[in-house]
Amino acid sequence: MAELKVRDLSEQDLAGIESAAKRAHLSREAYLRELIHHDATDHLLSGDVSDLRELTKQMAIIIEQNTAAFQDLSKEIEQLHSLQQLR
């Protein structure tokens, strides 16, 4: 694996990293490794997330249209049933 050395890190930034690592129950090194990994791979997922958002919007429209069609069909069936009872 590759090794990385970061220079000139402020004490305030280091304290923030240590605090965040502690909250995540990770060593500082493990925390930074995860942080770097997520940042390095986020761009790979961004297109997929956009596609999923668009697909979700389209599916919501289809569900609304199907719900309206089902409600119309239910009303028609109720009306037919009422007419049959009158006969």
Side-chain angles (χ1 to χ4, degrees):
M1 289 214 140
E3 216 174 282
L4 177 67
K5 185 173 185 174
V6 178
R7 299 170 202 249
D8 299 324
L9 191 62
S10 73
E11 292 296 322
Q12 184 178 4
D13 289 344
L14 182 58
I17 290 168
E18 287 180 356
S19 177
K22 193 175 203 177
R23 283 192 308 274
H25 304 288
L26 295 171
S27 67
R28 181 174 57 191
E29 185 176 326
Y31 175 77
L32 288 172
R33 194 172 23 253
E34 283 192 13
L35 194 64
I36 290 168
H37 173 73
H38 288 295
D39 189 64
T41 57
D42 273 354
H43 71 280
L44 299 173
L45 299 175
S46 64
D48 291 340
V49 171
S50 295
D51 291 347
L52 287 173
R53 282 191 184 120
E54 183 58 34
L55 184 59
T56 301
K57 289 177 188 176
Q58 291 174 7
M59 293 304 295
I61 291 168
I62 291 169
I63 290 169
E64 288 173 9
Q65 291 171 343
N66 285 345
T67 300
F70 179 76
Q71 289 171 341
D72 290 345
L73 177 62
S74 294
K75 289 177 187 176
E76 291 290 328
I77 291 172
E78 285 177 18
Q79 289 175 354
L80 286 172
H81 185 67
S82 295
L83 287 174
Q84 285 179 348
Q85 286 181 344
L86 290 176
R87 292 183 184 177

